[in-house]
Amino acid sequence: MNEWFADVAFKFQVAFVEGDRWKLYLKGLGVTLQISLFAAILGIVIGTVVALMKLSVRKDGKRSVFSVIAQVYIDIIRGTPAVLQLLIMWFIVMENCKNGILVAVLTFGINSGAYVAEIMRAGILAVDHGQMEAGRSLGLSKGQTMRYIILPQAIKNVLPPIGNEFIVLLKETAIVGYVSLSDLTRTASQISSRTFEAFMPLIGAAVIYFIIIKILSKLIELLERRLRKGDHR
C-alpha cells in the first residue's frame, strides 16, 4: 500500500509540480473558460434573434421567410458535429485568420445559438398569450409588447436551461485542440506525451472539469430556487 501511495505521489509530482506544470493547466483552463464565456454570450444573442425569427409569421398567418431561414439554420447546426463545424470554420470560412480563440468563439457561439434558439422559443411560447393581448390593449405595438412584456418573462423561465447549455458548451470546447489551441484537454494530452504517463495528467484534467462544472451546477440550482421563490410571491 505504501508503495502504491509513493507511486501516485511521484506521478503527481511529475504531472503537476516538476517544471511548474500546474501553471500550464491553469493557462489551459483559462483558454477553456474564455472560449466558453464569450461563445455563450454570442450564443444567447444569436439564439434570441433566431427564436424571434422562427416565431415570425406573415399577415396571412403562414411562416415568414425569416422563419424558414431560422429553421434551416437550426437544422444544419444541430444536424452536424461540432468538431466538423470547427474544422470548416478554421480551414474554409476563416482560412486567412489564424486566431484560434476567435475561430473557436465564433464556431461555438453559432453552434450554441441553434440550441439556445429552441430554448428561447419554448420560453416565449410558455408565456400566456393573453400577455400579448394585454400589451396591445395598452397601446403598445407588437414589437414593444414582445420587448417589454413577453421577453422579460421568457428569459426568466429559460435561465436555468441556458445555464445547463453553458455547461454543455464548456465540455464541448475540449475539441479546440483541432485548431492548435492549448485548452485544458490539449494541455493534459501534451503533458502526457512529455512525461510518458497518461493517467495523472488526464485524470487531473478530468477532476478540474468536474470541479468547475460542479460549481456551475450549484449556481444553477441556487438560481432555480431563487426563481421559484419569486414565483410564489
Side-chain angles (χ1 to χ4, degrees):
M1 183 64 71
N2 289 335
E3 292 181 359
W4 183 83
F5 279 114
D7 182 57
V8 170
F10 174 74
K11 291 179 179 179
F12 180 85
Q13 180 179 354
V14 171
F16 290 93
V17 180
E18 285 187 6
D20 289 335
R21 290 192 175 110
W22 59 272
K23 293 181 180 179
L24 298 177
Y25 289 95
L26 286 180
K27 186 177 180 180
L29 177 61
V31 172
T32 295
L33 294 177
Q34 182 182 0
I35 294 172
S36 301
L37 176 61
F38 287 107
I41 294 172
L42 180 60
I44 290 172
V45 173
I46 293 175
T48 302
V49 173
V50 173
L52 294 175
M53 288 174 61
K54 188 172 179 179
L55 290 171
S56 64
V57 294
R58 299 186 310 191
K59 292 182 178 180
D60 58 6
K62 295 182 179 180
R63 296 178 64 184
S64 68
V65 174
F66 294 111
S67 179
V68 174
I69 293 173
Q71 186 62 59
V72 171
Y73 159 74
I74 292 172
D75 288 342
I76 291 175
I77 296 300
R78 296 177 68 181
T80 54
V83 63
L84 185 59
Q85 296 168 15
L86 181 64
L87 294 176
I88 290 173
M89 185 70 76
W90 177 254
F91 289 111
I92 301 175
V93 178
M94 301 184 68
E95 61 177 335
N96 295 322
C97 174
K98 295 307 177 183
N99 186 332
I101 296 289
L102 177 60
V103 171
V105 168
L106 289 176
T107 301
F108 289 108
I110 293 171
N111 178 276
S112 179
Y115 295 91
V116 172
E118 290 297 274
I119 294 173
M120 287 297 300
R121 185 178 68 87
I124 292 172
L125 292 176
V127 177
D128 189 272
H129 184 67
Q131 297 289 324
M132 176 61 75
E133 297 175 351
R136 298 304 300 275
S137 67
L138 292 173
L140 299 176
S141 67
K142 188 175 181 179
Q144 289 175 324
T145 304
M146 179 64 70
R147 178 180 176 183
Y148 296 112
I149 298 178
I150 305 299
L151 276 180
Q153 297 180 62
I155 290 173
K156 180 180 178 181
N157 293 334
V158 302
L159 278 177
I162 285 181
N164 290 324
E165 170 61 21
F166 179 68
I167 290 176
V168 173
L169 180 62
L170 190 148
K171 291 187 290 184
E172 284 185 343
T173 60
I175 63 174
V176 296
Y178 281 96
V179 294
S180 303
L181 284 176
S182 294
D183 69 318
L184 181 57
T185 299
R186 189 162 191 252
T187 296
S189 179
Q190 289 173 332
I191 292 176
S192 176
S193 299
R194 295 174 191 172
T195 60
F196 302 102
E197 171 58 45
F199 177 81
M200 192 58 69
L202 297 179
I203 292 299
V207 170
I208 294 173
Y209 271 114
F210 177 80
I211 292 172
I212 297 299
I213 290 171
K214 194 67 177 176
I215 292 172
L216 290 173
S217 298
K218 288 297 182 181
L219 291 176
I220 293 172
E221 288 180 10
L222 290 174
L223 176 62
E224 290 178 342
R225 291 175 188 171
R226 192 177 188 112
L227 291 177
R228 283 198 297 267
K229 287 181 180 180
D231 291 338
H232 293 157
R233 291 178 182 176

